[in-house]
Amino acid sequence: MLIRNATLPDGRQRDVRVRGESIVEVGRDLDASDEHVIEATGKRLFPGMIDAHVHFRQPGYPHKETWESGSRAAAAGGVTTVVDQPNTDPPTIDGESFDEKAEFAADSVVDWGINGGVTADWIPNVLLRRRLFALGEVFLADSTGDMGIEADLFADALEAATDNDVPVTVHAEDADYFNSDAKARDDADAWSAFRTAKAEAKAVERACAVAKEHDATIHIAHTSTLEGVDIASEAGMTTEVTPHHLLLSRRDLSELGTFGRMNPPLRREKRRQKLYERVVDGTVDMIATDHAPHTREEKDASIWDAPSGVPGVETVLPLLLAEARDPDSGLTYERVRDLTARNPADVFGIQQKGAIEAGKDADLVLVDTTETSEISGETLHSKCGWTPFEGYDAVFPEWTMVRGTVVYERGDALDAADTTAQEDVFYDHQGENVRGADSERLE
């Protein structure tokens, strides 16, 4: 297969040859004899996004999401690798629970990783012998799943993971700095007032200090404050930012209501702007969604009873591409590439992915950045059927390829000459564990 005359994120126009599961050649005027040719003139080709933070809800909560529905949403948004978090039911804290989740992951159309969790009941000597993507997110305060742990257990987990060369990701909030006075309120903003920005900064500071004591590095998940980003960066640790913390703030809660509740919560608009600057200037390492779907019925509750979390895996790359179209945003297509593909691959050591280069997996996404469409929860593919980004401009993929196989084509891009609306098409494909075969055990 030859993808001809595509514009890469850096603006160069190149042909890309794919054979089997890999990119074998990138160049100009490549010979197309006896090959299927995809004409990409005027369109941009990106490496597939690696979303290092999703909650696909299986096992335990298939009414919210499944590996099939979540991975289809990922593919429709240009995400070709997802990493599932451990707070399912049962939580992924031992070999048996890892194996159970891996069976569900066999339904994924995109490649995947599974993170292991840490609780008082975890079995590290068994769990760490599975092919984990990472340990974490390790919860320093309770969130969905009630997996918050004490400081001593965090230190023990960090040491065990480091000894086994397993990366560690951290959900950094310190409950000692939550504002209990906010519990007297019942408005949507009360959650943001309760789980304070200081709670995050203090937890990041503490987690980084413990990591340094153990000569380890950690990755801070869903960092929502510039203080948290700066503390981690200065300590030599890495960070991720979600699309909702990048693009939404407390001023949106009057419209979102309890559908805008998540952990950590939305911050003030000025803080959001400062966080955006850290994303643009390179301080933040990656964007990850913390895709955490709940049904409309579950979210339609009081601010203290609604579950935390919002969907995002299908809209993250389209939103970033729409931002990059605006020269005033400061966000370039190259930076989007780095935030979504190159940097996650480098940080987590999955060198077969993350770039459009010979020898890499052919995880590719073709987009037309000259046009945008409005996001509508009704047309997205997650089971939850809603989005906090309703009405936002986005650049959705025309097609998404995973290891050389086109797994998704957008309906209205199937035949540009046919103005009749067509349904999106998903093709049979089985995603794989990016750390290796499920049945293998580490020696």
Side-chain angles (χ1 to χ4, degrees):
M1 177 190 303
L2 186 73
I3 304 166
R4 184 160 57 193
N5 207 29
T7 301
L8 303 187
D10 60 9
R12 295 177 301 151
Q13 290 186 322
R14 293 291 185 269
D15 299 341
V16 178
R17 193 185 309 279
V18 174
R19 285 187 182 150
E21 297 186 345
S22 302
I23 299 167
V24 295
E25 190 175 9
V26 179
R28 303 194 67 171
D29 301 320
L30 299 184
D31 180 28
S33 301
D34 302 322
E35 288 199 71
H36 173 61
V37 175
I38 297 176
E39 184 58 57
T41 300
K43 298 174 183 178
R44 292 184 181 270
L45 190 68
F46 280 80
M49 180 173 175
I50 300 165
D51 188 349
H53 195 140
V54 305
H55 299 265
F56 277 179
R57 302 305 194 198
Q58 277 186 302
Y61 311 101
H63 67 286
K64 301 176 189 278
E65 195 76 282
T66 65
W67 276 88
E68 180 181 11
S69 64
S71 68
R72 285 187 167 207
V79 175
T80 55
T81 300
V82 296
V83 181
D84 196 63
Q85 305 305 301
N87 55 337
T88 43
D89 186 13
T92 315
I93 58 173
D94 54 29
E96 183 177 354
S97 57
F98 177 94
D99 294 343
E100 181 181 1
K101 182 173 286 190
E103 291 181 8
F104 284 109
D107 292 333
S108 177
V109 300
V110 301
D111 286 348
W112 49 270
I114 293 175
N115 279 6
V118 180
T119 69
D121 298 321
W122 79 310
I123 307 177
N125 61 322
V126 176
L127 180 64
L128 292 170
R129 290 174 62 84
R130 295 304 196 269
R131 293 197 174 272
L132 292 176
F133 187 87
L135 193 66
E137 55 185 304
V138 179
F139 292 86
L140 301 187
D142 278 341
S143 187
T144 303
D146 297 328
M147 292 180 68
I149 64 172
E150 299 298 326
D152 290 346
L153 181 53
F154 172 59
D156 291 344
L158 184 61
E159 184 173 358
T162 302
D163 289 345
N164 286 273
D165 295 321
V166 175
V168 176
T169 73
V170 176
H171 178 130
E173 289 182 281
D174 189 333
D176 289 342
Y177 294 91
F178 288 174
N179 176 17
S180 59
D181 291 343
K183 289 189 173 182
R185 297 166 48 183
D186 61 4
D187 59 296
D189 185 68
W191 194 251
S192 292
F194 175 57
R195 297 178 83 112
T196 65
K198 187 175 183 179
E200 175 176 283
K202 288 293 186 180
V204 172
E205 185 176 42
R206 179 164 61 91
C208 291
V210 174
K212 282 194 166 185
E213 288 175 7
H214 290 80
D215 195 26
T217 57
I218 57 175
H219 175 74
I220 307 297
H222 44 50
T223 322
S224 65
T225 64
L226 64 117
E227 294 92 343
V229 168
D230 289 348
I231 291 167
S233 179
E234 290 166 7
M237 311 303 168
T238 58
T239 58
E240 71 189 40
V241 166
T242 69
H244 45 271
H245 291 123
L246 182 68
L247 299 174
L248 301 174
S249 69
R250 291 170 73 169
R251 72 179 184 181
D252 295 297
L253 289 170
S254 60
E255 181 176 346
L256 289 172
T258 54
F259 286 77
R261 174 180 149 164
M262 74 283 291
N263 300 328
L266 295 179
R267 305 300 184 188
R268 295 192 184 278
E269 176 62 16
K270 287 185 178 180
R271 285 187 175 277
R272 184 203 69 80
Q273 293 172 3
K274 292 293 185 182
L275 189 67
Y276 198 113
E277 291 174 5
R278 296 300 193 274
V279 169
V280 169
D281 70 18
T283 308
V284 170
D285 296 277
M286 68 187 76
I287 300 293
T289 63
D290 192 13
H291 173 82
H294 301 282
T295 66
R296 287 181 177 274
E297 292 76 17
E298 290 168 331
K299 293 292 280 187
D300 189 14
S302 77
I303 192 61
W304 302 107
D305 295 325
S308 293
V310 296
V313 73
E314 187 168 350
T315 52
V316 55
L317 185 58
L319 283 165
L320 292 172
L321 293 173
E323 288 290 303
R325 291 178 79 249
D326 180 2
D328 294 331
S329 73
L331 196 64
T332 66
Y333 292 119
E334 288 180 274
R335 183 74 180 125
V336 170
R337 173 203 63 198
D338 293 347
L339 287 163
T340 61
R342 177 169 290 176
N343 291 354
D346 288 345
V347 168
F348 291 107
I350 44 175
Q351 298 307 317
Q352 75 272 27
K353 296 187 180 293
I356 302 177
E357 299 172 359
K360 301 286 188 180
D361 284 354
D363 295 348
L364 301 170
V365 181
L366 189 71
V367 296
D368 183 352
T369 55
T370 65
E371 297 181 356
T372 63
S373 59
E374 285 192 0
I375 294 174
S376 169
E378 293 182 354
T379 62
L380 299 178
H381 298 86
S382 170
K383 286 191 75 173
C384 72
W386 63 274
T387 171
F389 299 106
E390 188 77 26
Y392 276 60
D393 286 340
V395 178
F396 284 97
E398 293 197 357
W399 53 254
T400 300
M401 178 185 293
V402 179
R403 285 181 288 108
T405 297
V406 173
V407 298
Y408 165 79
E409 285 188 276
R410 198 179 74 234
D412 60 9
L414 289 172
D415 186 353
D418 184 358
T419 58
T420 304
Q422 300 184 56
E423 291 186 358
D424 296 348
V425 176
F426 294 91
Y427 299 95
D428 289 339
H429 184 261
Q430 188 170 51
E432 295 182 353
N433 186 346
V434 297
R435 295 295 192 204
D438 309 341
S439 59
E440 296 176 2
R441 298 288 183 267
L442 302 180
E443 296 300 326

